[in-house]
Amino acid sequence: MHDRSIFEAPRARIPRPSPRCIINSRCAQWLSLLALLLLLRPNSSQGEDVANCDSLGSILPSSRLHFGFPDSLCGNWWKEYVTLHNGMREESRSRQAQAQAQASGEVPATATVTAATAATAAATAAAAPPSTSPLSSPPLSSSSPPPLRFLTYEVLFGCGGLGDALIGLAAAFTVALLDGRALILNHPCLPQAFEPAHVDWRLTDDVPMEPSRKYTYVPPVDAGAGSTTSIGSEAQPGPPDAAVQAGEVLRLNLKNRDVDLQPLFARLAPAANILLRWNRGVLTRLFLEAYNADREGEGGTGKGGVGEGAGRAGEGESGMRGSREWALRLRALGLRLPLATGCFLRFLLRPKPEVWQLIRPFDQQLRGDRTVVIGLHIRFEDRAVWGGGGEGMPLSLSEERVREMVEEVKPTLECAKRVQEWYVPSTLSIKWLLLCNSMQVKHAIREKYPDKVVTTDFTPRHANSMDAAHTTGQSPSSNADAPFQELIAEWLLLASSHFFVIPNSGFSRTALLYSMHPAGSAFMPPDNCFPEAPVNLTWLGTTWSRI
């Protein structure tokens, strides 16, 4: 049986680094991976003397802004998935070339398998994971072309919220990984700031994109079908429609919905492409289902919680009982819940050079040899600081209103002080990286703590307002992508922090998860600011959009 540290880090008080460890800047970065150390040393006791700086150096990045894909921490799945993904994309391009040749009369229309297609199928079959591999893949042969199997994560109207987009992307990739599909990204804004990292997710004209049917998932209690696999027509939600045919392109709307994944996607298996809209995480529930499987194997009920907070998800019920095979397969890939979201996002997304250019001036202020960074994110209700119903340009606030708002966020500032006093030795310097959706409040706090606060001068915007920003000329750059690139630059800066004092927003939570040290470094005032007990990852996983 796997121990519960697979699901979350221990809740014991995190030990402070010993004075012997704080001898150089590299060793001081111990603070940036507290959670990782706990995962690697699950038996750490209170007050343990962590002094072996040489061994720490082998796992610490040379810079907090080293956001590459740490394959040694992310399991054993990625090479096989690259092979699967690349083979699928090559097959799609080959079929497009064949169709174009047929249209021009260069190839007889009766030809069913071209030499290129056969060669692609043979190469893909040779490189395909063996039958014992935890990755799913369809049977392949050199005598017939392999079926096209894409999953396209899409946002159709505006950029949407950044947190929703990234959580949905991680969920979509989880399905693509477990269902043996090549992931495609059809998002109006993410490609403005990111380029493909390890697989090419760019949408090209060889990918089939014209849906023959559109579906919205309908929970069985609403559909009356008595099955967790129920889907219904977008026009008339209800019981399942006709079986999905091979080669179909389907649009599936799972927005705001929790789904038992495996039964649903098994019904959609013949589809050549599933155009997916989604904003709910699935990793917490899949890992919980794997844990429940262990408990049942040990004679338990399978309904026990996994650490404090699991009861909020229904007394340990994952809602993924039909996906138990996928849950166990996911864990067999060598992934751990605290790191999985960061692994997936780093595997898929590489920040563009333009984003690094935006980050560099602020990173230079934060990367002193003996500097610890506490990231603070302050978010007011959207309508309080932006026009247009919360998605327009920033409002101009009166001085009195700014003072009131600074007073409102006093618990956040006090929380940062408590974290600083608890964790950071006096021999190190402190910087607060401050992000806020009100420029005026941000400047007021910087004036109050001039030697401590580092912040940007980027105009705060909600991601869903980016299209409007492109047309109003508000960006200081002539680059039409600049507003979203500035948003991602701030997100990456927050992710580079050693500690997080944040609200329960998707922007903050995804930065925390992308940092890949989430289990012992986050605090959420006013209710969750106890330095001896950082925010529990299980609780993060049971919030509205989950992880």
Side-chain angles (χ1 to χ4, degrees), residues 221-445:
V221 66
D222 298 329
S227 169
T228 57
T229 63
S230 298
I231 56 177
S233 166
E234 201 167 53
Q236 295 180 327
D241 283 317
V244 176
Q245 302 299 312
E248 272 197 274
V249 177
L250 305 176
R251 174 162 283 134
L252 178 63
N253 180 15
L254 299 182
K255 187 176 181 180
N256 300 343
R257 290 166 172 84
D258 291 324
V259 182
D260 196 353
L261 294 177
Q262 192 172 351
L264 173 61
F265 283 92
R267 288 199 55 219
L268 307 181
N273 194 2
I274 301 172
L275 314 181
L276 178 63
R277 297 177 61 194
W278 209 2
N279 60 345
R280 290 289 185 93
V282 298
L283 288 166
T284 303
R285 295 188 298 134
L286 282 171
F287 275 93
L288 177 57
E289 184 56 37
Y291 178 84
N292 286 344
D294 289 338
R295 285 180 56 83
E296 291 182 7
E298 294 287 327
T301 65
K303 297 183 179 181
V306 185
E308 188 176 321
R312 298 184 184 89
E315 299 301 327
E317 291 289 357
S318 69
M320 290 280 191
R321 192 168 185 84
S323 303
R324 178 161 292 186
E325 178 189 344
W326 276 16
L328 294 173
R329 189 190 305 164
L330 180 70
R331 192 174 62 186
L333 296 178
L335 289 159
R336 298 172 75 102
L337 177 59
L339 305 178
T341 302
C343 287
F344 289 172
L345 294 179
R346 293 183 186 210
F347 178 76
L348 295 170
L349 305 174
R350 177 184 294 122
K352 285 186 171 181
E354 297 91 332
V355 175
W356 293 119
Q357 291 293 332
L358 293 170
I359 289 174
R360 184 169 291 114
F362 306 101
D363 182 44
Q364 291 172 351
Q365 299 178 56
L366 296 170
R367 281 182 56 190
D369 285 345
R370 302 174 66 82
T371 302
V372 174
V373 178
I374 301 176
L376 285 75
H377 181 209
I378 295 171
R379 178 170 178 176
F380 296 99
E381 183 182 358
D382 292 347
R383 294 176 181 272
V385 292
W386 288 320
E391 296 180 355
M393 298 306 297
L395 298 173
S396 178
L397 306 173
S398 67
E399 292 184 7
E400 180 180 0
R401 179 57 185 144
V402 170
R403 287 194 295 270
E404 292 174 351
M405 294 171 76
V406 171
E407 187 65 23
E408 290 173 13
V409 301
K410 187 175 180 180
T412 298
L413 304 179
E414 292 298 323
C415 182
K417 293 177 182 178
R418 293 177 65 187
V419 171
Q420 172 181 326
E421 292 169 356
W422 182 269
Y423 287 107
V424 184
S426 59
T427 53
L428 298 181
S429 61
I430 296 290
K431 290 293 184 182
W432 291 358
L433 171 69
L434 175 63
L435 304 182
C436 180
N437 60 346
S438 168
M439 179 74 81
Q440 291 170 274
V441 173
K442 187 163 62 172
H443 286 172
I445 296 175

Side-chain angles (χ1 to χ4, degrees), residues 182-203:
L183 182 76
I184 302 296
L185 179 58
N186 183 20
H187 191 282
C189 293
L190 287 176
Q192 296 173 13
F194 294 103
E195 57 192 15
H198 294 273
V199 290
D200 187 359
W201 40 254
R202 291 173 295 185
L203 177 61

Side-chain angles (χ1 to χ4, degrees), residues 69-200:
F69 176 67
D71 55 353
S72 62
L73 302 176
C74 290
N76 54 20
W77 52 270
W78 59 277
K79 291 182 180 179
E80 292 179 359
Y81 182 78
V82 168
T83 299
L84 183 149
H85 182 100
N86 291 348
M88 199 69 64
R89 299 230 61 175
E90 180 61 30
E91 174 62 23
S92 181
R93 287 189 288 265
S94 175
R95 292 192 190 187
Q96 183 190 45
Q98 178 187 0
Q100 291 173 345
Q102 289 177 349
S104 64
E106 297 178 9
V107 176
T110 56
T112 57
V113 181
T114 66
T117 299
T120 298
T124 306
S131 59
T132 57
S133 168
L135 280 187
S136 172
S137 60
L140 301 170
S141 73
S142 59
S143 61
S144 62
L148 292 181
R149 304 189 82 240
F150 290 100
L151 188 146
T152 299
Y153 177 64
E154 64 177 11
V155 173
L156 298 179
F157 307 106
C159 295
L162 179 62
D164 280 1
L166 294 174
I167 290 170
L169 176 60
F173 182 70
T174 303
V175 172
L177 180 66
L178 296 173
D179 200 31
R181 292 182 176 273
L183 182 76
I184 302 296
L185 179 58
N186 183 20
H187 191 282
C189 293
L190 287 176
Q192 296 173 13
F194 294 103
E195 57 192 15
H198 294 273
V199 290
D200 187 359

